[in-house]
Amino acid sequence: MVYQPPAGARDLLPLDVAQKRWIEDKLEQVFQGWGYHRIITSTLERIDTLMARGAIDRSTVIQLQNIQDEELGLRPELTASIARAAVTRMAGANYPQRLYYNANVFGRNAEFKHNRQQEFYQAGVELLGGGGLVADAEVLLLVAACLQSLQLQDWHLVVGEAEITQSLLKVFPKDLQNKIRSAIVNLDRVAIDTMNLSKELRDRAQIMLDLRGKSADVLQKINSLKLDSQQQEAVNNLKALVELIESQGNFSLILDLSLIQSFDYYTGFVFEVISDIDNQARVIGRGGRYDKLLGLYHPQGKDIPGTGFALFIEDLYHVLSTSGQLPQPKLASDWLVVPENSSASAAAFAYAEKLRSSTHLVRVEMELSGRDTASIQEYASGKGIAQIAWIKADGSKQVESVNS
């Protein structure tokens, strides 16, 4: 029998880990430079926490049960868990709170396809207690700073507005709103044409499909619809955000008011980060504003504004690998310490510890097998080890440089 990981899981080998860690370290440096502090939440949560009162589809959560018959699940994303932790464990904290994470998440694909990946890695931030234009702009500009730190080329932001999109859907019959929402998400004009709608509503749905492109063009189209005062205010806020971002960032921005996120807790601007390497569009991150989420977990039901994003490590890995930007680290040790015989083992361990006590990382291996000199030299050369220290029982040593 050949043992393999379960369907949807995979192993990361040392080179994979080193390159993944390189990406994560770059991102963490940026997060910390912007004043964010790391938070680690439980991988396992109660189902009602993860679902955020229906904002997250239960069928996408990998569910478990403990001996107390509690319904538990593996987190499909981090925002709900961090919202829960913030209002229950950080009740006395001063706002705004700037938090970042680097963690694995789990989720079933809605189509339940065989071997579809179910474990993913994400790094992202949550800016809690900060409302308004400046907080939204900070999150978008932080995304840009992260991608610039990775020297990622050919990417753009797609920005939408959940409140506007949701309010525009409310004019349609209730029994058709979900179908129209699905058609908009999938850019399905045929589905809209076949629905039982008046000409006015069908035209409105088709306009919603076309609310994508250069910001000035989209804002002009949205203003052609009959907007109430609340919708107009949301459009004005979005216009101000786009103008601020475009004045600060040297990157491409597309406005898309048909953009609807898979998690339904967003209340304001939403966005996706798209990579265009080799003319293949790949979503490498997403986020937005969620001003009602923390209130779901707050003991007094108090709403606290929040905004944030997640970057998808596997997708970043793929893009950077495709463009040849990932480092190719040598997975080698600096030293191999070889005791002359069993009597020299104590002296060999002592010398190895002395080497490791340097102020910078020194990788030191101990020779274990008692091989002959030629085999030891061949092993060191093949592993890329820089130096061999041959240790005698009295602690004296002979150092040999290795030509790999």
Side-chain angles (χ1 to χ4, degrees):
M1 179 178 180
V2 178
Y3 288 95
Q4 299 287 350
R10 66 190 183 96
D11 302 313
L12 296 179
L13 301 182
L15 179 59
D16 302 322
V17 173
Q19 292 177 326
K20 172 177 173 288
R21 181 62 183 270
W22 179 84
I23 295 172
E24 292 168 342
D25 286 348
K26 290 281 189 182
L27 297 178
E28 288 193 11
Q29 288 172 17
V30 178
F31 296 157
Q32 292 171 4
W34 284 58
Y36 287 74
H37 299 273
R38 187 172 184 181
I39 185 171
I40 298 176
T41 60
S42 174
T43 305
L44 197 63
E45 291 271 13
R46 291 186 173 88
I47 285 290
D48 56 354
T49 297
L50 296 179
M51 291 180 61
R53 292 189 186 170
I56 296 174
D57 188 343
R58 186 186 185 110
S59 68
T60 65
V61 178
I62 297 176
Q63 299 176 47
L64 305 170
Q65 208 159 21
N66 64 11
I67 58 175
Q68 286 81 34
D69 287 334
E70 288 182 298
E71 289 188 304
L72 306 174
L74 300 176
R75 60 191 179 203
E77 52 90 65
L78 270 296
T79 303
S81 294
I82 292 174
R84 186 265 309 155
V87 298
T88 59
R89 303 294 306 282
M90 303 170 64
N94 292 326
Y95 287 103
Q97 282 290 312
R98 290 178 167 86
L99 306 173
Y100 82 85
Y101 58 85
N102 176 16
N104 54 349
V105 297
F106 305 83
R108 286 196 182 99
N109 184 273
E111 299 172 358
F112 298 100
K113 291 185 177 178
H114 181 63
N115 285 340
R116 181 64 63 88
Q117 188 174 341
Q118 296 185 83
E119 181 179 11
F120 309 87
Y121 295 92
Q122 295 182 356
V125 306
E126 309 297 347
L127 175 51
L128 307 180
L133 176 65
V134 175
D136 293 345
E138 175 174 318
V139 165
L140 289 175
L141 293 173
L142 178 51
V143 170
C146 288
L147 301 184
Q148 288 161 4
S149 76
L150 296 171
Q151 298 184 345
L152 195 72
Q153 306 296 320
D154 300 320
W155 62 273
H156 64 271
L157 288 174
V158 177
V159 179
E161 221 289 348
E163 182 182 354
I164 296 172
T165 306
Q166 290 164 0
S167 67
L168 291 176
L169 286 170
K170 289 180 181 177
V171 302
F172 296 97
K174 285 189 176 180
D175 60 328
L176 292 179
Q177 285 180 9
N178 284 337
K179 291 182 179 180
I180 293 170
R181 183 181 189 273
S182 177
I184 290 171
V185 169
N186 296 299
L187 301 178
D188 189 346
R189 296 180 184 277
V190 174
I192 289 176
D193 286 339
T194 57
M195 290 182 195
N196 184 23
L197 295 169
S198 67
K199 183 179 184 305
E200 180 182 0
L201 288 179
R202 182 172 288 106
D203 289 346
R204 187 181 183 92
Q206 295 290 3
I207 289 174
M208 289 177 68
L209 279 174
D210 290 331
L211 294 176
R212 176 185 175 90
K214 292 183 178 180
S215 56
D217 296 338
V218 172
L219 290 168
Q220 184 176 1
K221 287 179 183 177
I222 188 69
N223 281 319
S224 71
L225 299 172
K226 294 178 180 178
L227 303 177
D228 60 29
S229 59
Q230 187 173 356
Q231 291 170 331
Q232 190 62 59
E233 181 182 1
V235 170
N236 293 341
N237 291 339
L238 180 61
K239 181 175 183 290
L241 174 62
V242 169
E243 289 175 347
L244 178 55
I245 292 301
E246 290 181 334
S247 74
Q248 296 294 312
N250 185 24
F251 50 83
S252 173
L253 186 149
I254 293 172
L255 202 54
D256 183 2
L257 295 184
S258 67
L259 178 63
I260 298 175
Q261 300 286 38
S262 53
F263 300 134
D264 199 21
Y265 47 61
Y266 291 102
T267 58
F269 89 105
V270 292
F271 67 93
E272 291 184 340
V273 192
I274 309 296
S275 166
D276 298 309
I277 293 291
D278 291 341
N279 295 317
Q280 292 185 342
R282 176 183 287 261
V283 179
I284 57 175
R286 57 170 57 99
R289 172 162 290 284
Y290 47 87
D291 286 350
K292 301 296 182 181
L293 181 62
L294 274 72
L296 300 180
Y297 309 110
H298 195 282
Q300 286 80 45
K302 179 182 177 181
D303 284 331
I304 298 171
T307 183
F309 66 83
L311 293 173
F312 309 145
I313 301 299
E314 284 95 345
D315 293 291
L316 285 171
Y317 181 99
H318 176 85
V319 170
L320 292 167
S321 178
T322 299
S323 61
Q325 292 174 260
L326 279 179
Q328 301 294 323
K330 288 184 67 176
L331 303 177
S333 296
D334 302 294
W335 288 85
L336 176 63
V337 176
V338 185
E340 181 181 55
N341 50 44
S342 59
S343 299
S345 296
F349 273 115
Y351 186 67
E353 185 57 30
K354 180 181 178 181
L355 292 172
R356 295 187 189 108
S357 65
S358 170
T359 55
H360 64 278
L361 175 63
V362 178
R363 299 181 185 274
V364 183
E365 294 185 23
M366 283 285 292
E367 169 61 21
L368 306 175
S369 64
R371 293 174 288 191
D372 60 71
T373 299
S375 296
I376 291 172
Q377 290 169 330
E378 182 180 356
Y379 169 79
S381 179
K383 287 287 294 287
I385 294 173
Q387 297 182 94
I388 303 174
W390 306 90
I391 307 298
K392 296 182 180 296
D394 63 2
S396 61
K397 65 183 182 298
Q398 180 180 348
V399 175
E400 173 187 344
S401 296
V402 179
N403 296 318
S404 55

